[in-house]
Amino acid sequence: GDSVTQTEGLVTLTEGLPVMLNCTYQTIYSNPFLFWYVQHLNESPRLLLKSFTDNKRTEHQGFHATLHKSSSSFHLQKSSAQLSDSALYYCALSGRYNQGKLIFGQGTKLSIKP
Amino acid sequence: GALVYQYPRRTICKSGTSMRMECQAVGFQATSVAWYRQSPQKTFELIALSTVNSAIKYEQNFTQEKFPISHPNLSFSSMTVLNAYLEDRGLYLCGARDRISGNTLYFGEGSRLIVV
């Protein structure tokens, strides 16, 4: 079945340093949709990025990711971390169009220190 | 823009009682609604996927008898947790899919179930 694997556990960075959270996936579908959701403390997940186009960079709020079907990856990056980026980040996969069913990774907690 | 309202935000219920939560899509037509549970360990479990004009599809380990869902129109869905016990606690999330944006799920604020 479909699955998503993320950088495990907690990632702690100093403010100003670059961020990279890994996401790889497995699916039988040739045209998967990939998403990054961000969840701040006591809030619900909010869509950060999405893509279904191979090798095309997508950006939002300083974050960017590129779907690479050749390596089944959709890593999340940001050039300079901010304190407000501290949150849980989830990579998610939709392997079938018109289903509305997302497969989530286990989540990565990003903690930014001053 | 697409907004999803979910209520109540938090419920404390006694073991063996039930909790009903509601999900309202505003500003778009929710052609499908997915109900998830986020465990205290922060992982997501899909409970069921409800698509208008189709039967509600429950995932393994979740049943209609335990989590009955109603999805009467394109803007509203509700789910009840019947006979809640400790293992049912968590944050229940309603995700509504926007017909226009395709596979994107927009989540409500979540309904946290605390069982005592």
Side-chain angles (χ1 to χ4, degrees):
Chain A
D2 296 344
S3 66
V4 176
T5 303
Q6 293 182 233
T7 301
E8 286 191 17
L10 173 65
V11 173
T12 302
L13 294 171
T14 302
E15 187 180 16
L17 291 182
V19 177
M20 180 159 172
L21 303 183
N22 289 337
C23 172
T24 57
Y25 63 91
Q26 286 189 318
T27 181
I28 62 172
Y29 299 101
S30 57
N31 295 307
F33 288 71
L34 271 295
F35 304 83
W36 276 101
Y37 283 85
V38 57
Q39 185 178 24
H40 287 94
L41 188 63
N42 296 323
E43 294 183 8
S44 63
R46 174 176 58 83
L47 179 67
L48 182 59
L49 291 171
K50 64 178 179 180
S51 180
F52 61 91
T53 306
D54 198 12
N55 298 318
K56 182 180 178 182
R57 174 171 161 146
T58 183
E59 299 187 35
H60 186 60
Q61 295 184 336
F63 287 91
H64 63 91
T66 303
L67 175 59
H68 291 297
K69 292 184 182 180
S70 60
S71 57
S72 298
S73 66
F74 191 57
H75 306 319
L76 182 68
Q77 299 182 68
K78 187 177 185 182
S79 58
S80 176
Q82 297 176 288
L83 294 176
S84 57
D85 295 330
S86 296
L88 278 166
Y89 290 82
Y90 292 92
C91 184
L93 162 74
S94 180
R96 182 182 296 171
Y97 187 65
N98 284 336
Q99 284 286 316
K101 176 179 175 178
L102 290 182
I103 307 298
F104 283 90
Q106 72 274 36
T108 304
K109 185 174 182 178
L110 179 64
S111 177
I112 308 299
K113 305 294 184 184
Chain B
L3 289 175
V4 179
Y5 291 104
Q6 192 175 345
Y7 39 89
R9 295 292 302 275
R10 184 172 178 260
T11 299
I12 300 173
C13 67
K14 288 187 176 180
S15 183
T17 62
S18 300
M19 170 201 179
R20 181 172 184 263
M21 59 200 81
E22 299 182 346
C23 179
Q24 182 86 38
V26 177
F28 69 104
Q29 292 185 322
T31 52
S32 66
V33 172
W35 286 94
Y36 284 85
R37 178 171 67 196
Q38 187 178 31
S39 69
Q41 293 73 37
K42 303 302 182 185
T43 57
F44 287 93
E45 298 174 279
L46 177 62
I47 298 170
L49 183 66
S50 173
T51 303
V52 173
N53 298 325
S54 296
I56 298 170
K57 185 179 178 184
Y58 286 83
E59 293 294 296
Q60 197 172 13
N61 300 325
F62 296 95
T63 65
Q64 182 180 3
E65 290 70 32
K66 173 73 174 178
F67 300 95
I69 290 171
S70 172
H71 190 182
N73 56 57
L74 290 173
S75 64
F76 182 83
S77 178
S78 67
M79 185 178 76
T80 302
V81 181
L82 294 174
N83 300 316
Y85 290 98
L86 275 177
E87 59 266 27
D88 296 318
R89 64 199 167 122
L91 181 67
Y92 288 81
L93 291 160
C94 156
R97 187 173 71 90
D98 184 342
R99 180 205 300 267
I100 294 173
S101 63
N103 274 23
T104 303
L105 271 187
Y106 296 99
F107 287 98
E109 302 96 325
S111 297
R112 185 169 300 281
L113 174 60
I114 299 168
V115 182
V116 297

